[in-house]
Amino acid sequence: MTNPLIQIDDEVREMTDEEYAQYLVASKDVIPVG
Amino acid sequence: MTRARDVASSGGLTLIKTQTIGSGVSSVTISNVFSSTYDNYRIVIGGVDCSAVTNLRLQLGSEPNEHYGSLRYDFYTGTDTNFTRNVNQAAFVIAIGGTNDDTSSSFDICSPNLAKRTTASGTFNGFAYSGWFGGGVNTTNQYTSFNLLTSGATLTGGKINVYGYRM
């Protein structure tokens, strides 16, 4: 299982495990359903 | 008499950076855009294609908490109108992205590189959803970068322009 991609300026790469953990924390709200 | 140099130094937007969004990314970091040169910034995001309807969130620097905000959204049919709120989180919501290369947002960030609380406000459209938001970071930390985050989806294409301006 690979982690999502992160883009830092022009560089695109797979998130490290630490970055992925931080991403999950920062993106944890509910998506509205239309 | 007002001289041209005075007008140029106090008003108007100066493009600092244009960043093209790659393919299938869940997080985009725009680095080294906030500095002591400008107190305030306009961010314009256009032409972004999301893999699914998703909240797009803004994080200042790598600030792990202290983001507060409220976003008002409306689905174009009127069947879904509500708020999304963030309280002491790692980011706040700035848009609901759509899936047809059509997500756009324009907002202002005030004081990100000053020893003051950073605030942001603006509007967005993701085709199906449109609305506006306001948010802030309840610290006096100073930032040079920001992150644009999805809520589990990915972004492909589009551009992020960062402008600086004085007031």
Coordinates of all heavy atoms in Angstrom, one line a residue, chain B residues 23-64:
Chain B
S23 N -0.2 16.0 -11.0 CA -1.2 15.0 -11.2 C -1.4 14.0 -10.0 O -0.5 13.4 -9.6 CB -0.8 14.1 -12.5 OG -1.8 13.2 -12.8
G24 N -2.7 14.0 -9.5 CA -3.0 13.0 -8.5 C -2.4 13.3 -7.1 O -2.1 12.4 -6.4
V25 N -2.2 14.6 -6.8 CA -1.6 14.9 -5.5 C -2.7 15.2 -4.5 O -3.7 15.8 -4.8 CB -0.6 16.1 -5.6 CG1 0.5 15.7 -6.6 CG2 -1.3 17.4 -6.2
S26 N -2.4 14.8 -3.2 CA -3.4 15.1 -2.2 C -3.0 16.3 -1.3 O -3.8 16.7 -0.5 CB -3.4 13.8 -1.2 OG -3.9 12.7 -2.0
S27 N -1.8 16.8 -1.5 CA -1.3 17.9 -0.7 C -0.4 18.7 -1.6 O 0.5 18.1 -2.3 CB -0.6 17.4 0.6 OG 0.0 18.5 1.2
V28 N -0.5 20.0 -1.6 CA 0.4 20.9 -2.3 C 1.0 21.9 -1.3 O 0.2 22.7 -0.7 CB -0.3 21.6 -3.5 CG1 0.6 22.5 -4.2 CG2 -1.0 20.6 -4.4
T29 N 2.3 22.0 -1.3 CA 3.0 23.0 -0.4 C 3.5 24.1 -1.3 O 4.3 23.8 -2.3 CB 4.1 22.3 0.4 OG1 3.6 21.3 1.2 CG2 4.9 23.4 1.2
I30 N 3.2 25.3 -1.0 CA 3.8 26.4 -1.7 C 4.7 27.1 -0.8 O 4.3 27.7 0.2 CB 2.7 27.4 -2.2 CG1 1.6 26.7 -2.9 CG2 3.3 28.5 -3.0 CD1 2.0 26.1 -4.2
S31 N 6.0 27.0 -1.0 CA 7.0 27.5 -0.1 C 7.6 28.8 -0.5 O 7.6 29.2 -1.6 CB 8.1 26.4 0.1 OG 8.8 26.3 -1.1
N32 N 8.1 29.5 0.5 CA 8.9 30.8 0.3 C 8.1 31.8 -0.4 O 8.6 32.4 -1.4 CB 10.2 30.5 -0.4 CG 11.1 29.6 0.4 OD1 11.2 29.7 1.6 ND2 11.7 28.6 -0.2
V33 N 6.8 32.0 0.0 CA 6.0 33.1 -0.7 C 5.7 34.2 0.3 O 5.4 35.3 -0.2 CB 4.7 32.5 -1.3 CG1 5.0 31.7 -2.5 CG2 4.0 31.7 -0.3
F34 N 5.7 34.0 1.6 CA 5.4 35.0 2.5 C 6.7 35.6 3.1 O 7.6 34.8 3.5 CB 4.5 34.5 3.7 CG 3.2 33.9 3.2 CD1 2.8 32.7 3.9 CD2 2.5 34.4 2.2 CE1 1.6 32.1 3.5 CE2 1.3 33.8 1.8 CZ 0.9 32.7 2.4
S35 N 6.8 36.9 3.1 CA 8.1 37.5 3.6 C 7.7 38.9 4.2 O 6.6 39.3 4.2 CB 9.1 37.6 2.5 OG 8.7 38.6 1.6
S36 N 8.8 39.6 4.6 CA 8.6 40.9 5.2 C 8.3 41.9 4.1 O 8.0 43.1 4.4 CB 9.8 41.3 6.0 OG 11.0 41.3 5.1
T37 N 8.4 41.5 2.8 CA 8.2 42.5 1.7 C 6.7 42.9 1.7 O 6.5 44.1 1.4 CB 8.5 41.8 0.4 OG1 9.9 41.4 0.4 CG2 8.4 42.8 -0.8
Y38 N 5.8 42.0 1.9 CA 4.4 42.4 1.9 C 3.7 41.9 3.2 O 4.1 40.8 3.7 CB 3.7 41.7 0.7 CG 4.2 42.1 -0.6 CD1 5.1 41.3 -1.3 CD2 3.9 43.3 -1.2 CE1 5.7 41.7 -2.5 CE2 4.4 43.7 -2.4 CZ 5.3 42.9 -3.1 OH 5.8 43.3 -4.3
D39 N 2.7 42.7 3.6 CA 2.0 42.2 4.8 C 0.8 41.3 4.4 O 0.4 40.5 5.2 CB 1.3 43.5 5.5 CG 2.4 44.4 6.1 OD1 3.6 43.9 6.2 OD2 2.1 45.5 6.5
N40 N 0.3 41.5 3.2 CA -0.9 40.8 2.8 C -0.8 40.1 1.4 O 0.0 40.6 0.6 CB -2.1 41.8 2.8 CG -2.2 42.5 4.1 OD1 -2.4 41.9 5.1 ND2 -2.1 43.8 4.0
Y41 N -1.6 39.1 1.2 CA -1.4 38.3 0.0 C -2.8 37.9 -0.6 O -3.7 37.7 0.2 CB -0.6 37.0 0.3 CG 0.8 37.4 0.8 CD1 1.0 37.7 2.1 CD2 1.9 37.5 -0.1 CE1 2.2 38.0 2.6 CE2 3.1 37.8 0.4 CZ 3.3 38.1 1.8 OH 4.6 38.5 2.2
R42 N -2.8 37.9 -1.9 CA -4.0 37.3 -2.6 C -3.6 36.0 -3.2 O -2.6 35.9 -3.9 CB -4.5 38.3 -3.7 CG -5.6 37.8 -4.6 CD -6.9 37.7 -4.0 NE -7.3 39.0 -3.4 CZ -7.8 40.1 -4.0 NH1 -8.1 40.0 -5.3 NH2 -8.1 41.2 -3.4
I43 N -4.4 35.0 -2.9 CA -4.2 33.6 -3.5 C -5.3 33.4 -4.5 O -6.5 33.5 -4.1 CB -4.2 32.5 -2.4 CG1 -3.3 32.9 -1.2 CG2 -3.7 31.2 -3.0 CD1 -1.9 33.1 -1.5
V44 N -5.0 33.0 -5.7 CA -6.0 32.7 -6.7 C -5.7 31.3 -7.2 O -4.6 31.0 -7.7 CB -6.0 33.7 -7.9 CG1 -7.0 33.3 -8.9 CG2 -6.2 35.1 -7.4
I45 N -6.7 30.4 -7.0 CA -6.6 29.0 -7.5 C -7.6 28.8 -8.6 O -8.8 29.2 -8.5 CB -6.9 28.1 -6.3 CG1 -5.9 28.3 -5.1 CG2 -6.8 26.6 -6.7 CD1 -6.3 27.6 -3.8
G46 N -7.1 28.2 -9.7 CA -8.1 28.1 -10.8 C -7.8 26.8 -11.6 O -6.7 26.3 -11.7
G47 N -8.9 26.2 -12.2 CA -8.8 25.1 -13.1 C -8.4 23.8 -12.5 O -7.8 22.9 -13.1
V48 N -8.7 23.6 -11.2 CA -8.3 22.4 -10.5 C -9.4 21.3 -10.7 O -10.6 21.5 -10.5 CB -8.1 22.7 -9.0 CG1 -7.7 21.4 -8.3 CG2 -7.1 23.8 -8.8
D49 N -8.9 20.1 -11.0 CA -9.8 18.9 -11.1 C -9.6 18.0 -9.9 O -8.5 17.5 -9.7 CB -9.4 18.2 -12.4 CG -10.4 17.0 -12.6 OD1 -11.5 17.1 -12.1 OD2 -10.0 16.0 -13.3
C50 N -10.6 17.8 -9.1 CA -10.6 17.0 -7.9 C -11.1 15.6 -8.3 O -12.0 15.4 -9.2 CB -11.4 17.5 -6.8 SG -11.0 19.2 -6.3
S51 N -10.5 14.6 -7.7 CA -10.9 13.2 -8.0 C -12.3 12.9 -7.5 O -12.9 11.9 -7.9 CB -9.9 12.2 -7.5 OG -9.8 12.3 -6.1
A52 N -12.7 13.6 -6.5 CA -14.1 13.5 -5.9 C -14.4 14.8 -5.3 O -13.5 15.6 -5.1 CB -14.1 12.4 -4.9
V53 N -15.7 15.0 -5.0 CA -16.0 16.2 -4.2 C -15.3 16.1 -2.9 O -15.4 15.1 -2.2 CB -17.6 16.3 -4.0 CG1 -17.9 17.4 -3.1 CG2 -18.3 16.4 -5.3
T54 N -14.6 17.2 -2.6 CA -13.7 17.2 -1.4 C -13.6 18.6 -0.8 O -13.6 19.6 -1.5 CB -12.3 16.7 -1.8 OG1 -11.5 16.6 -0.6 CG2 -11.7 17.6 -2.8
N55 N -13.5 18.6 0.5 CA -13.1 19.9 1.1 C -11.6 20.2 0.8 O -10.8 19.3 0.9 CB -13.3 19.8 2.6 CG -14.7 19.8 3.0 OD1 -15.6 20.3 2.3 ND2 -15.0 19.4 4.2
L56 N -11.4 21.4 0.5 CA -10.0 21.9 0.3 C -9.7 22.7 1.5 O -10.4 23.6 1.9 CB -9.8 22.7 -1.0 CG -10.1 21.9 -2.3 CD1 -10.0 22.8 -3.5 CD2 -9.2 20.7 -2.4
R57 N -8.5 22.4 2.1 CA -8.2 23.1 3.4 C -6.8 23.8 3.2 O -6.0 23.4 2.5 CB -8.1 22.0 4.5 CG -9.4 21.2 4.6 CD -9.2 20.0 5.5 NE -8.7 20.3 6.8 CZ -9.5 20.3 7.9 NH1 -10.8 20.0 7.8 NH2 -9.0 20.6 9.0
L58 N -6.7 24.8 4.1 CA -5.5 25.7 4.1 C -4.8 25.5 5.4 O -5.4 25.6 6.5 CB -5.9 27.1 3.9 CG -4.7 28.1 3.9 CD1 -3.9 28.0 2.6 CD2 -5.2 29.5 4.0
Q59 N -3.5 25.2 5.3 CA -2.7 25.1 6.5 C -1.6 26.1 6.4 O -0.9 26.1 5.4 CB -2.1 23.7 6.7 CG -1.3 23.6 8.0 CD -0.7 22.2 8.1 OE1 -0.3 21.6 7.1 NE2 -0.5 21.7 9.3
L60 N -1.4 27.0 7.4 CA -0.2 27.9 7.4 C 1.0 27.2 7.9 O 1.0 26.7 9.0 CB -0.6 29.1 8.2 CG -1.4 30.3 7.6 CD1 -0.6 30.9 6.4 CD2 -2.7 29.8 7.0
G61 N 2.1 27.3 7.1 CA 3.3 26.6 7.5 C 3.0 25.1 7.8 O 2.3 24.4 7.1
S62 N 3.6 24.7 8.9 CA 3.3 23.3 9.4 C 2.6 23.4 10.7 O 2.7 22.5 11.6 CB 4.6 22.5 9.5 OG 5.5 23.2 10.3
E63 N 1.9 24.5 10.9 CA 1.2 24.8 12.2 C 0.2 23.6 12.5 O -0.7 23.3 11.7 CB 0.4 26.1 12.1 CG -0.2 26.5 13.4 CD 0.9 26.9 14.4 OE1 1.7 27.8 14.1 OE2 0.9 26.3 15.5
P64 N 0.4 22.9 13.6 CA -0.3 21.6 13.8 C -1.7 21.9 14.4 O -2.5 20.9 14.4 CB 0.6 20.9 14.8 CG 1.3 22.0 15.6 CD 1.5 23.1 14.6

